[in-house]
């Protein structure tokens, strides 16, 4: 292993150069808006400002499931926030998420708008609002929330740790890749063991815990993230693969994955969703044709 480095940290860190790697243009050590920009508002009760990354997909999975169950109040406009272009630093977006990260939701169904940020909080908000996908029986609810919060705490090691150093950093650093590959494989094994004993994470039913975990760890198992399937030997996690396929076959999950998606097959990209019919008529292949 390469141990040496010619870098000695100074007494005080200063922002004197870009951090390097992909996304260096949007990394800054300060919060707050960089420019004035109002957010658009559509006709539906729920306004989602997002992008089709794993964190964004968690919410569209939930919204599409709620609509499939017949909850009309879950109708939503999904607006595209292009984070690579710094749209998360516009004043309107910062007003609904001071943390400047997608996804962010505004519920306009009541007398005054309610903002919700952090994907886990959005899932809980929607689950409680519609009384769905969050068990009410105390033990199953505890299990569901445990896995939901497990995801919130664990995925930064997968994305900000492993994904960053394996795929995006300007140099391949063996120490960093080893450290995070080890942790991500451990996390996959945690899930694999749970899914060996239980159909879904919280038990017999599909819940917001699965919706939070699937876009990250299901996506990893299906080879959608970081081109790392072979490196991490994801096919070995049989129960994770079984569960990932089960969720992936749900019509609402298929639709949820398409919303605000800006890469992949043009027919799988629905940049903005303002109507249920958009899945048929507004995908990129149709718009370009
Ligand atoms: N803990 C947050 C993480 C959200 C997050 O990291 N979003 C990324 C995209 S997946 C983002 O907006 N990045 C833009 C930036 O960091 O400036 C959540 O779960 O909502």
């Amino acid at each position: 292993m390469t141990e040496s480095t010619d870098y000695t940290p100074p007494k005080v860190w200063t922002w004197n150069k870009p951090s390097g790697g992909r996304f260096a243009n949007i990394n800054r050590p300060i919060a707050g808006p960089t420019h004035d920009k109002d957010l658009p508002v559509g006709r539906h009760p729920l306004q989602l400002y997002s992008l089709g990354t794993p964190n964004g997909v968690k919410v569209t999975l939930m919204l599409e499931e709620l609509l499939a169950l017949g909850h009309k109040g879950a109708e939503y406009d999904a607006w595209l926030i292009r984070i690579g272009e710094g749209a998360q630093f516009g004043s309107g977006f910062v007003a609904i998420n001071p943390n400047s990260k997608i996804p962010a939701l505004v519920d306009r169904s009541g007398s005054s708008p309610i903002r919700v940020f952090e994907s886990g909080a959005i899932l809980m908000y929607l689950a409680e609002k519609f009384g769905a996908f969050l068990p009410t029986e105390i033990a199953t609810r505890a299990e569901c929330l445990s896995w939901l919060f497990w995801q919130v705490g664990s995925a930064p090691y997968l994305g900000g740790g492993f994904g960053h150093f394996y795929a995006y950093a300007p140099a391949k650093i063996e120490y960093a890749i080893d450290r995070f590959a080890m942790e991500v494989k451990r996390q996959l094994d945690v899930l694999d063991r749970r899914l060996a004993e239980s159909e879904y994470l919280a038990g017999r039913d599909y819940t917001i815990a699965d919706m939070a975990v699937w876009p990250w760890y299901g996506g990893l198992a299906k080879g959608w993230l970081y081109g790392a399937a072979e490196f991490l030997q994801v096919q070995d996690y049989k129960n994770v693969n079984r569960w990932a396929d089960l969720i992936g076959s749900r019509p609402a999950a298929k639709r949820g994955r398409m919303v605000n998606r800006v890469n992949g097959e043009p027919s799988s990209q629905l940049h903005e969703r303002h109507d249920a019919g958009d899945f048929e008529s507004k995908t990129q292949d149709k718009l370009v044709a």
Side-chain angles (χ1 to χ4, degrees):
M1 194 181 74
T2 26
E3 299 275 0
S4 70
T5 160
D6 53 8
Y7 174 64
T8 307
K11 274 211 168 56
V12 177
W13 184 83
T14 51
W15 186 26
N16 54 14
K17 59 178 178 336
S19 58
R22 201 165 148 202
F23 306 119
N25 64 321
I26 58 169
N27 292 339
R28 331 179 277 156
I30 42 173
T34 55
H35 58 282
D36 281 336
K37 182 134 177 55
D38 290 340
L39 290 174
V41 178
R43 67 193 162 101
H44 294 306
L46 301 175
Q47 300 295 306
L48 176 68
Y49 302 92
S50 195
L51 180 68
T53 66
N55 286 320
V57 166
K58 293 177 199 172
V59 178
T60 48
L61 291 183
M62 176 64 165
L63 289 168
E64 290 298 328
E65 290 288 349
L66 290 169
L67 289 171
L69 278 184
H71 290 286
K72 300 261 183 293
E75 262 301 348
Y76 69 107
D77 291 276
W79 302 95
L80 185 60
I81 299 294
R82 291 189 185 270
I83 61 174
E85 296 169 15
Q88 69 277 34
F89 304 120
S91 53
F93 190 88
V94 177
I96 61 163
N97 184 355
N99 197 39
S100 282
K101 291 187 193 289
I102 65 92
L105 179 82
V106 180
D107 181 353
R108 296 185 155 268
S109 63
S111 51
S112 46
I114 298 173
R115 76 172 190 193
V116 199
F117 59 92
E118 282 293 320
S119 56
I122 296 173
L123 288 175
M124 264 190 89
Y125 177 83
L126 292 172
E128 286 181 337
K129 180 179 169 98
F130 294 102
F133 300 109
L134 175 56
T136 48
E137 188 275 318
I138 190 163
T140 330
R141 186 181 181 88
E143 193 67 20
C144 173
L145 293 178
S146 299
W147 287 107
L148 176 68
F149 284 83
W150 176 87
Q151 187 283 321
V152 172
S154 300
Y157 292 98
L158 168 52
F162 175 75
H164 178 79
F165 287 107
Y166 184 73
Y168 302 146
K172 301 289 180 223
I173 303 167
E174 187 179 353
Y175 172 79
I177 293 173
D178 275 351
R179 173 175 159 83
F180 291 113
M182 171 118 64
E183 171 60 5
V184 166
K185 283 185 73 80
R186 189 192 68 81
Q187 293 177 351
L188 281 167
D189 197 31
V190 170
L191 286 176
D192 207 58
R193 288 165 190 252
R194 171 60 183 159
L195 292 166
E197 62 188 21
S198 182
E199 185 164 19
Y200 292 101
L201 288 170
R204 266 174 300 173
D205 296 320
Y206 184 48
T207 69
I208 54 173
D210 302 289
M211 295 180 207
V213 176
W214 184 77
W216 282 105
Y217 296 89
L220 188 66
K222 296 282 89 188
W224 302 335
L225 300 187
Y226 315 119
E230 187 180 5
F231 185 68
L232 296 174
Q233 291 290 287
V234 294
Q235 74 287 346
D236 291 353
Y237 303 93
K238 300 276 183 270
N239 304 300
V240 176
N241 273 280
R242 188 251 326 141
W243 162 90
D245 290 337
L246 183 64
I247 296 174
S249 68
R250 296 175 76 91
K254 290 191 170 70
R255 287 195 300 278
R257 267 200 88 207
M258 293 168 68
V259 179
N260 294 148
R261 184 177 169 145
V262 293
N263 50 35
E265 277 293 304
S267 60
S268 73
Q269 297 182 33
L270 180 60
H271 285 193
E272 293 202 345
R273 183 243 186 245
H274 300 289
D275 187 272
D278 292 350
F279 291 98
E280 268 66 59
S281 57
K282 301 250 164 66
T283 48
Q284 279 308 104
D285 54 328
K286 306 261 169 60
L287 291 188
V288 170

